[in-house]
Amino acid sequence: MRYIIPILFASGFFFACQPSHEKETSALSFQQKYPKFSDYSLEYKTTTPPDDMQICLFANPLTAKVLIYVRQTDKVYNTPFSPEMFSIIAHEGGRAHATEIIPADSTHPELSYIVPFDVVHDRWFYKKTGLPGDLSLSYSLEIENLDQVLNFEIDKEHYRQYQKNDGLTKLTTLYNTYVDTAAQKSYQLSNGLSGFLHADDTEISSAGINLSLQAYQLSDSLKLSVKIVNHSNYELLIQPDVFILKSGSMLLQPVTSRTGMIQLRKGDRFIQDFIYFPEQEIAQFALLKEGIQVLADVNPTNLLIENLQFRRTESPPQGD
């Protein structure tokens, strides 16, 4: 999924690992040797390092990705490491396995390597936006060959500065959907559809047609992620170029290459991200109802009785 991330400025790069009797890799040498990872400027420390490894954990404040740098100091394990042998757990998120293992030294690839992860740091924020959320205050790292869990924490003042300057949660405006359920049920029945209706913050199930709608504004872009699954016995007609947003007197056209009518029969699904560029942050908007129609009779009719309303909502408070 395409992320909409503003161009932000991270703090200066610094590199530090757990205490080690071996000479530690310096910030400058790591940055020069591995420029691909020079944006991983946030440092997490552990007080319980393994005796035979130097392990550092760093995070990129711009993308919310994390990685570990591993250097074996006293011995080489007989079993080669593989991505599934590394897993990391975020304090407010979930568990993620490594995406790959990158040898850090081509001469002795078994001695040192970089292990990146794609972590969901905040499950609530991910459900609302599809974005990973703010980096966590702490992480737990598990390595299959070790019999211990390594806990990493970031300095709280550094973390507060990160949230203030680069945190996605603060920079993102979230929206919930709002449906007049009584009017919508009556409308469905009057058009020969089932009266079943369920609606929550981001999902609507109307007469066997399921809609999932995630909306958020980040910087100058507003993104609407749409997923429609047709479980009904009726055919749906989807018009992507009619997924127009209305806010007051302003109409926002979607940036999309898909035009014309898309037909969804029973069991079919439609998934697409729509991007809009409002001139300012908007508190509420409506999705025009004409973009989704159902063939319950000879002539198509709009699935929804009225334009679908979206209103700004607040993120849950973040812990210190």
Side-chain angles (χ1 to χ4, degrees), residues 215-239:
Y216 68 88
Q217 185 173 354
L218 182 56
S219 187
D220 62 348
S221 301
L222 191 153
K223 180 176 180 180
L224 175 64
S225 296
V226 177
K227 179 180 179 181
I228 303 173
V229 182
N230 187 8
H231 293 299
S232 75
N233 294 319
Y234 306 106
E235 185 174 317
L236 291 183
L237 302 177
I238 311 297
Q239 293 180 269

Side-chain angles (χ1 to χ4, degrees), residues 87-105:
S87 61
I88 195 167
I89 303 171
H91 178 64
E92 295 291 341
R95 177 189 296 268
H97 287 287
T99 57
E100 59 180 322
I101 294 181
I102 304 169
D105 185 342

Side-chain angles (χ1 to χ4, degrees), residues 8-16 27-28 31 37-43 58-62 158 161-162 165-166:
L8 304 172
F9 294 94
S11 57
F13 188 96
F14 51 92
F15 189 103
L28 183 61
Q31 189 175 20
F37 303 102
S38 61
D39 289 331
Y40 285 73
S41 58
L42 294 178
E43 168 197 5
F58 302 98
N60 185 331
L62 286 78
H158 292 164
Q161 288 299 314
Y162 152 71
N165 298 327
D166 300 328

Side-chain angles (χ1 to χ4, degrees), residues 172-243:
T172 306
T173 301
L174 306 176
Y175 302 93
N176 285 344
T177 59
Y178 288 84
V179 177
D180 184 335
T181 54
Q184 178 62 31
K185 284 183 179 180
S186 177
Y187 174 77
Q188 290 172 199
L189 291 171
S190 67
N191 282 281
L193 301 174
S194 162
F196 176 79
L197 177 67
H198 171 78
D200 62 18
D201 293 343
T202 60
E203 296 183 352
I204 301 169
S205 181
S206 171
I209 300 162
N210 296 341
L211 288 73
S212 175
L213 305 121
Q214 297 175 330
Y216 68 88
Q217 185 173 354
L218 182 56
S219 187
D220 62 348
S221 301
L222 191 153
K223 180 176 180 180
L224 175 64
S225 296
V226 177
K227 179 180 179 181
I228 303 173
V229 182
N230 187 8
H231 293 299
S232 75
N233 294 319
Y234 306 106
E235 185 174 317
L236 291 183
L237 302 177
I238 311 297
Q239 293 180 269
D241 52 345
V242 186
F243 273 62

